């Protein structure tokens, strides 16, 4: 019977049906055809001979060893390792596959690693009835709040946990509505302690059955630790609702008349943070002449950042740089310089967070000389600043400062 089975198997496998030229197929169809090259003859043979399953399993193992020479390892692993994907057991509950590969100590990096949570907790805490909403407040102006955010932060029944850099104008809006809120004092060097305090406040609010509104600047998921907070809130037993905000990465340059893309000038935008985990410096973005790089939370290490971009990432010293401070607020300022002069300008004019840094040729696309209320000349070789009356020659221009009115209108 085995000899007969192998004869049928080879006959089907070598038939005209199984000999479709692979070169004429798409990559996806080619993978399917290769699988069928072994599986279809095997199944047909089993049907013809009514073979026991043990024999089929034996032959399948043999065919896998041959297929290993045809398939890339990533494709084999993606089909074999199901341990990372949730399965439904039929009772509405999720369970994890207990395939033989899950017991292997070697982690499979070819398969997407999902959250350690098997499922999302409820939106409302089952014991206390409390819930959490994660809200983005935008760049700073109350008029740039989303309708959902405005409704939540002006509801006196909510408990608000507010980032330190949320603008005074938005806090005034909350004060006028009689909202109870706490401010997280996340100053440089004590971020972790402040974050722990935030989580304690949120846990206490949940315990008391409150609707906790966690208010963050910009958008919660753009360098705002929003994902980390969602994971922590899940450990508290609730799945937070997330309300997006207008990110300063795009709104701050717009309010300062700096387009992050411009045909013929910049065809790509990269967003970066100035601080990685544990206050480390993130990897540098290599220079490209048609690229805009937007840095958030980087003004505190601006001089080091510019020096690294010049000497390690290949940025020309004359690359335009703009800093937009307190975007959308009445005291918004835009400071414009070059890679080698912007740090001196920032020190001279005492630029502080929240500030958005824009690097690239787009900085000079829309701004005109009439926009600048003050023009200064930098003596880089002396490491100092020298004020100049009027507009200095373009060859000597090191940096300029723009003082602007509300919503980025140039005065």
């Amino acid at each position: 019977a085995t000899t007969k089975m192998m004869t049928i198997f080879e006959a089907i496998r070598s038939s005209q049906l199984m000999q479709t030229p692979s070169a004429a197929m798409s990559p996806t169809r080619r993978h399917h055809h290769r699988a069928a090259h072994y599986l279809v003859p095997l199944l047909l043979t089993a049907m013809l001979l009514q073979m026991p399953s043990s024999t089929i399993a034996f032959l399948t193992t043999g065919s896998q060893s041959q297929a290993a020479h045809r398939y890339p390892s990533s494709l084999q692993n993606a089909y074999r390792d199901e341990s990372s994907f949730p399965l439904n057991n039929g009772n509405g509950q999720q369970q994890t596959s207990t395939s033989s590969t899950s017991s292997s100590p070697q982690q499979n990096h070819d398969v997407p690693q999902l959250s350690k949570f098997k499922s999302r907790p409820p939106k409302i805490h089952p014991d206390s009835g409390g819930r959490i909403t994660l809200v983005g407040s935008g760049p700073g102006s109350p008029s740039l709040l989303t309708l959902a955010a405005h409704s939540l932060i002006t509801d006196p029944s909510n408990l608000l946990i507010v980032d330190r850099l949320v603008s005074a104008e938005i806090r005034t809006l909350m004060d006028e509505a009689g909202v109870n809120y706490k401010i997280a004092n996340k100053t440089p060097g004590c971020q972790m302690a402040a974050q722990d305090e935030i989580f304690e406040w949120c846990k206490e609010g949940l315990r008391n059955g409150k609707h906790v509104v966690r208010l963050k600047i910009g958008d919660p998921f753009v360098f705002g630790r929003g994902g980390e907070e969602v994971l922590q809130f899940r450990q508290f037993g609730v799945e937070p609702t997330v309300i997006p905000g207008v990110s300063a990465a795009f709104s701050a340059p717009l309010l300062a008349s700096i387009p992050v893309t411009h045909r013929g000038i910049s065809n790509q935008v990269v967003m970066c943070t100035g601080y990685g985990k544990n206050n480390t410096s993130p990897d540098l973005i290599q220079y490209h002449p048609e690229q805009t790089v937007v840095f958030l939370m980087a003004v505190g290490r601006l001089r080091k950042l510019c020096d690294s971009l010049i000497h390690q990432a290949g940025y020309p010293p004359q690359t335009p740089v703009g800093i937009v401070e307190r975007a959308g607020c009445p005291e918004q300022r835009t400071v414009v310089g070059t890679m080698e002069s912007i740090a001196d300008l920032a020190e001279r004019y005492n630029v502080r967070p929240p500030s958005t840094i824009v690097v690239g040729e787009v900085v000079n696309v829309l701004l005109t000389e009439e926009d600048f209320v003050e023009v200064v000349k930098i003596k880089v070789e002396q490491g100092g600043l020298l004020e100049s009356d009027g507009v200095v020659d373009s060859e000597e221009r090191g940096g300029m400062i723009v003082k602007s009115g509300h919503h980025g209108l140039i005065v």
Side-chain angles (χ1 to χ4, degrees), residues 172-303:
T172 299
L173 189 68
M174 293 154 46
D175 289 331
E176 293 174 350
V179 176
N180 178 30
Y181 63 89
K182 299 181 179 180
I183 299 178
N185 191 27
K186 272 191 180 181
T187 55
C190 67
Q191 293 96 328
M192 295 308 299
Q195 191 67 48
D196 291 340
E197 187 177 40
I198 289 170
F199 289 145
E200 284 300 318
W201 288 342
C202 292
K203 184 188 294 185
E204 181 183 1
L206 281 176
R207 191 183 303 120
N208 295 330
K210 290 284 190 179
H211 182 183
V212 179
V213 176
R214 176 72 179 98
L215 188 63
K216 307 179 75 67
I217 62 171
D219 184 275
F221 282 5
V222 181
F223 300 125
R225 296 195 181 189
E228 297 174 34
E229 295 196 7
V230 168
L231 294 175
Q232 184 63 47
F233 296 151
R234 286 180 180 177
Q235 293 189 9
F236 294 165
V238 292
E239 178 73 15
T241 299
V242 181
I243 305 298
V246 178
S247 174
F250 299 119
S251 60
L254 182 150
L255 292 169
S257 296
I258 300 176
V260 292
T261 64
H262 191 85
R263 187 156 44 179
I265 302 296
S266 174
N267 55 30
Q268 53 187 291
V269 184
V270 182
M271 290 188 297
C272 301
T273 177
Y275 292 86
K277 192 173 182 180
N278 299 323
N279 288 333
T280 58
S281 296
D283 292 339
L284 297 173
I285 302 300
Q286 296 299 308
Y287 175 73
H288 189 284
E290 294 189 2
Q291 174 179 268
T292 302
V293 185
V294 180
F295 289 94
L296 301 178
M297 303 178 297
V299 72
R301 53 175 54 169
L302 180 59
R303 189 175 298 278

Side-chain angles (χ1 to χ4, degrees), residues 41-216:
L42 181 62
L43 292 175
L44 290 175
T45 304
M47 291 171 61
L48 289 172
L49 298 179
Q50 297 183 353
M51 294 170 52
S53 58
S54 58
T55 307
I56 297 177
F58 171 77
L59 290 172
T60 303
T61 303
S63 65
Q64 285 178 349
S65 64
Q66 297 179 43
H69 299 287
R70 297 183 173 220
Y71 292 94
S73 60
S74 58
L75 184 63
Q76 296 178 49
N77 293 334
Y79 281 104
R80 291 176 185 172
D81 187 358
E82 299 176 347
S83 61
S84 297
F85 297 90
L87 303 176
N88 196 301
N89 61 11
N91 298 322
Q93 299 176 345
Q94 288 186 332
Q95 61 184 11
T96 303
S97 170
T98 55
S99 61
S100 59
T101 55
S102 62
S103 60
S104 173
Q106 183 177 1
Q107 186 178 7
N108 178 16
H109 296 285
D110 295 319
V111 179
Q113 298 300 309
L114 303 183
S115 166
K116 65 180 180 180
F117 296 94
K118 296 181 180 179
S119 61
R120 299 174 188 267
K123 292 281 188 179
I124 299 177
H125 198 281
D127 298 329
S128 66
R131 55 195 173 116
I132 296 180
T133 302
L134 192 61
V135 180
S137 66
S141 172
S143 63
L144 295 178
L145 288 166
T146 64
L147 292 175
H150 187 280
S151 176
L152 287 167
I153 70 173
T154 56
D155 186 344
S157 65
N158 295 338
L159 170 63
L160 270 67
I161 311 298
V162 182
D163 272 354
R164 176 178 64 91
L165 293 178
V166 169
S167 70
E169 291 75 24
I170 291 179
R171 295 201 303 269
T172 299
L173 189 68
M174 293 154 46
D175 289 331
E176 293 174 350
V179 176
N180 178 30
Y181 63 89
K182 299 181 179 180
I183 299 178
N185 191 27
K186 272 191 180 181
T187 55
C190 67
Q191 293 96 328
M192 295 308 299
Q195 191 67 48
D196 291 340
E197 187 177 40
I198 289 170
F199 289 145
E200 284 300 318
W201 288 342
C202 292
K203 184 188 294 185
E204 181 183 1
L206 281 176
R207 191 183 303 120
N208 295 330
K210 290 284 190 179
H211 182 183
V212 179
V213 176
R214 176 72 179 98
L215 188 63
K216 307 179 75 67

Side-chain angles (χ1 to χ4, degrees), residues 261-390:
T261 64
H262 191 85
R263 187 156 44 179
I265 302 296
S266 174
N267 55 30
Q268 53 187 291
V269 184
V270 182
M271 290 188 297
C272 301
T273 177
Y275 292 86
K277 192 173 182 180
N278 299 323
N279 288 333
T280 58
S281 296
D283 292 339
L284 297 173
I285 302 300
Q286 296 299 308
Y287 175 73
H288 189 284
E290 294 189 2
Q291 174 179 268
T292 302
V293 185
V294 180
F295 289 94
L296 301 178
M297 303 178 297
V299 72
R301 53 175 54 169
L302 180 59
R303 189 175 298 278
K304 178 181 178 182
L305 175 64
C306 291
D307 183 72
S308 298
L309 289 173
I310 292 174
H311 295 100
Q312 299 178 32
Y315 281 74
Q318 295 302 311
T319 302
V321 181
I323 306 177
V324 187
E325 180 186 32
R326 301 189 63 79
C329 297
E331 63 273 26
Q332 173 184 319
R333 293 190 302 174
T334 304
V335 179
V336 178
T338 65
M339 190 69 71
E340 64 180 354
S341 67
I342 194 65
D344 287 332
L345 284 166
E347 287 183 4
R348 177 183 179 88
Y349 292 100
N350 197 29
V351 175
R352 291 287 179 264
S355 293
T356 303
I357 302 171
V358 186
V359 178
E361 298 297 330
V362 292
V363 171
N364 293 329
V365 167
L366 298 183
L367 296 177
T368 68
E369 292 180 353
E370 293 181 353
D371 294 327
F372 298 101
V373 296
E374 186 176 356
V375 181
V376 296
K377 181 168 60 177
I378 306 296
K379 288 188 175 181
V380 178
E381 67 278 4
Q382 297 179 6
L385 287 166
L386 178 65
E387 292 190 19
S388 173
D389 295 329

Side-chain angles (χ1 to χ4, degrees), residues 254-257 328-330 332 334 371 402-411:
L254 182 150
L255 292 169
S257 296
C329 297
Q332 173 184 319
T334 304
D371 294 327
V402 178
K403 293 182 180 179
S404 61
H406 197 31
H407 299 313
L409 298 177
I410 305 300
V411 297

